[in-house]
Each structure stands twice: as structure tokens, then as C-alpha cells.
């Protein structure tokens, strides 16, 4: 375990978000970071949904350093991270961090993660405006007709999730994580999940906003996906697609799902290339973490 953070390490971080010094705010009391090399489905390390307690305690299983940066810098989470070394995308870690706070706001959670990255990963970074190439999710048909896998629902998922988080924090209990047992697992209301098999056939199902869906498609498309469909409110999603690049191992089969473009067209949407200017996180220096 590593207790506290050194003033020298904290001073390395050059970014200031929301007018706040990078060294300002709380830090984790105790942090444990270990390399995760346990192979799971598809040859990737075993992972699990993040566990977050109201006081800011976190437990992350099988996450890359890039994932930590996205959580530490939420204002740039939708943008590409520039300067990220290759190992920060391909190596996975288990992180267990505890806080002495009674409750932690989203800004305090992010501040603690930034301090941890400075101390354990020797992070030096800054934020600047950059024009980026992204993909825009748009309607595929001029008449706006949607496919059978995309259906408007009455529930306001953003409001429901906010109410669920508030209730969990008031009760002093974290929201229980959803761990899908397979591609046919049905997620709880207002949760959108993506589950793949060893052949790279991936099933997306659940409920959420179009922005939620765009965020879910960032991984297979390997770039930011923004919502420009004009579809407000919440929807039910059901989509299956084939990611050939995910087929690994001697027993992997070719897979039978449609490609991403075909699967999206069956929902009544498509992707178009565009460019936007936004805050971009630039990584000037990052080291593999010291383990304990």
C-alpha cells in the first residue's frame, strides 16, 4: 500500500480544470495498484464493472491507464487523448483506493484520481483546444424512420440514473454493479451494455440516450462518436455486430454477425466523419505505475 502523496509528485501535474489547481482538493488515503494479467474471454484480462462508494472509494478491475485518465479528466473524456503511450492502452491494472471523506462530489473523485496518476504514474499533462476528427451518429433515412432495434421509451433515463445515485448516496450504499453472464443477459432499466464473445460477435442491448449509445460505440470505432441524430429522450437498443479484430485464440470462430455499418443501418442510423474543436488532454509524460 502507498499512503499519501509527495509534494514533488503533485507539483508535476500542470493541468488546471474548472479554475482549480491540480494539487487542490482531496487525495486518496491508501492506494493499491497491481498489474492484471489474468486472461478472460477473448484473451483480454478479466475485468469487472467499477465499484464506487459514496465517500470516493473505488475498486477497478482490469482497466488500462487510459481509462483512469478518462475518469480523472471528465471534461475531456469524449476526446482523443494525445500522447498516450501504447502500453497505457494495452496493459491492464487493478486499482483499489480508499478515501477518508464522508461523501465525495464528482469533482472530488476526479481530483483524487488526478493526484493518484501524478503520484503513481508520474503523469505530466495539459489541456488545450484542438480540432479533432470524430464520427457523428446521424439518421440514415430522410424520413427519420427507425429500425426495429431502436425504440423510444417513456422513461427519462438521465433523471432515473440521477435519482438512483442520489438514493444510493443517501443510504450510504453503492449502486450494485451489473455483471452480464453472457450476450443474452438483460441489463436493468436505463443501463446500456455491450457484451462480446470469443469470435468477436458483440451484442448491444438495454436502455439509454443516443449520447449513451454514442459513448458505447467509441470502443469499436476507436474514436469519439457524437450524437447528431436529433433524437431526444431515451430509447431501447438491440443490436448485434461482428468485430473481426476481436477474434483471437486458436479456437476462435469466424463469427456470424453483420459488420458495424450494417448493424447501425438496421437501427436506422449511420456514422459520418466530421471535425469538432474541444478541450483535448495532452499527455506529456506517463510511466508504468509502481506496484504494491
Amino acid at each position: 500500500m502507498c499512503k499519501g502523496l509527495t509534494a514533488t509528485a503533485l507539483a508535476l501535474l500542470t493541468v488546471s480544470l474548472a479554475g482549480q489547481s491540480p494539487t487542490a482538493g482531496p487525495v486518496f488515503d491508501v492506494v493499491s495498484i497491481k498489474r492484471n494479467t489474468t486472461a478472460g474471454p477473448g484473451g483480454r484480462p478479466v475485468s469487472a464493472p467499477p465499484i464506487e462508494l459514496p465517500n470516493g472509494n473505488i475498486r477497478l478491475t482490469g482497466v488500462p491507464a487510459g481509462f483512469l485518465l478518462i475518469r480523472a479528466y471528465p471534461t475531456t473524456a469524449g476526446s482523443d487523448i494525445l500522447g498516450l503511450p501504447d502500453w497505457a492502452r494495452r496493459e491492464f491494472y487493478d486499482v483499489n483506493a480508499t478515501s477518508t471523506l464522508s461523501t465525495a462530489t464528482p469533482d472530488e473523485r476526479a481530483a483524487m484520481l488526478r493526484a493518484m496518476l501524478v503520484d503513481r504514474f508520474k503523469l505530466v499533462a495539459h489541456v488545450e483546444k484542438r480540432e479533432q476528427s470524430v464520427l457523428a451518429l446521424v439518421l440514415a433515412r430522410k424520413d427519420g424512420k427507425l429500425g426495429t432495434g431502436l425504440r423510444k421509451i417513456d422513461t427519462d433515463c438521465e433523471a432515473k440514473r440521477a435519482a438512483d445515485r442520489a438514493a444510493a448516496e443517501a443510504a450510504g450504499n453503492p449502486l450494485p454493479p451489473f455483471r452480464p453472464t453472457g450476450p443474452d443477459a438483460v441489463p436493468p432499466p436505463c443501463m446500456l451494455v455491450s457484451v462480446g464473445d470469443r469470435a468477436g460477435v458483440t451484442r448491444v442491448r438495454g436502455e439509454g440516450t443516443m449520447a449513451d449509445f454514442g459513448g458505447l460505440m467509441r470502443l469499436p470505432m476507436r474514436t469519439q462518436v457524437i450524437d447528431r441524430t436529433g433524437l431526444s429522450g431515451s430509447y431501447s437498443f438491440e443490436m448485434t455486430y461482428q468485430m473481426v479484430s476481436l477474434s483471437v485464440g486458436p479456437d476462435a470462430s469466424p463469427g456470424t454477425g453483420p459488420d458495424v455499418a450494417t448493424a447501425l443501418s438496421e437501427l436506422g442510423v449511420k456514422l459520418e466523419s466530421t471535425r469538432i474543436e474541444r478541450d483535448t488532454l495532452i499527455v506529456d509524460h506517463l510511466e508504468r505505475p509502481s506496484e504494491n
Side-chain angles (χ1 to χ4, degrees):
M1 296 288 181
C2 178
K3 296 189 177 183
L5 299 170
T6 66
T8 300
L10 285 173
L12 288 172
L13 188 57
T14 62
V15 176
S16 177
L17 294 178
Q20 187 178 50
S21 166
T23 60
V27 298
F28 289 118
D29 180 56
V30 179
V31 176
S32 171
I33 301 176
K34 296 182 179 180
R35 180 81 180 273
N36 183 323
T37 58
T38 305
R44 294 170 61 87
V46 172
S47 62
I51 296 176
E52 296 180 302
L53 298 181
N55 66 350
N57 287 11
I58 60 168
R59 180 176 298 170
L60 306 172
T61 304
V63 298
F67 177 87
L68 298 174
L69 285 163
I70 289 172
R71 282 184 164 249
Y73 297 92
T75 63
T76 64
S79 66
D80 291 331
I81 301 174
L82 303 183
L84 194 66
D86 185 64
W87 65 263
R89 305 179 192 274
R90 300 182 181 277
E91 295 180 6
F92 297 79
Y93 296 88
D94 296 339
V95 178
N96 189 8
T98 61
S99 162
T100 55
L101 297 177
S102 56
T103 58
T105 66
D107 286 345
E108 288 172 332
R109 294 174 188 272
M112 289 190 289
L113 281 171
R114 292 196 297 273
M116 181 193 75
L117 285 164
V118 169
D119 183 56
R120 301 297 295 277
F121 291 79
K122 309 308 177 190
L123 172 69
V124 182
H126 68 280
V127 174
E128 63 182 59
K129 291 287 187 182
R130 288 282 187 97
E131 189 179 64
Q132 300 181 18
S133 296
V134 300
L135 292 173
L137 193 66
V138 300
L139 295 176
R141 295 171 52 116
K142 290 183 178 179
D143 62 6
K145 185 177 180 180
L146 302 179
T148 56
L150 183 58
R151 177 177 56 84
K152 183 75 178 288
I153 62 175
D154 294 331
T155 307
D156 182 339
C157 283
E158 289 185 328
K160 174 176 170 42
R161 288 194 290 255
D164 289 345
R165 286 194 298 269
E169 290 183 0
N173 296 315
L175 291 172
F178 174 70
R179 295 185 173 90
T181 56
D184 295 326
V186 179
C190 288
M191 180 177 288
L192 191 59
V193 299
S194 175
V195 182
D197 63 17
R198 290 184 65 86
V201 177
T202 301
R203 185 175 186 179
V204 176
R205 70 186 314 188
E207 299 171 344
T209 64
M210 296 306 299
D212 293 332
F213 180 69
L216 202 66
M217 294 306 296
R218 176 184 172 123
L219 179 61
M221 304 315 301
R222 298 184 179 181
T223 189
Q224 182 184 3
V225 178
I226 61 175
D227 172 33
R228 288 189 176 172
T229 61
L231 299 175
S232 59
S234 302
Y235 291 79
S236 171
F237 296 83
E238 184 72 42
M239 182 181 80
T240 300
Y241 65 91
Q242 172 73 37
M243 281 293 291
V244 177
S245 63
L246 295 182
S247 299
V248 296
D251 57 343
S253 65
T256 57
D259 60 26
V260 173
T262 301
L264 289 172
S265 68
E266 292 174 352
L267 292 184
V269 297
K270 63 180 180 180
L271 294 171
E272 293 182 345
S273 297
T274 188
R275 296 184 70 83
I276 61 172
E277 186 179 78
R278 61 164 298 153
D279 285 344
T280 303
L281 180 64
I282 314 295
V283 175
D284 302 303
H285 181 79
L286 192 71
E287 298 179 8
R288 287 179 172 87
S290 54
E291 293 193 15
N292 52 18

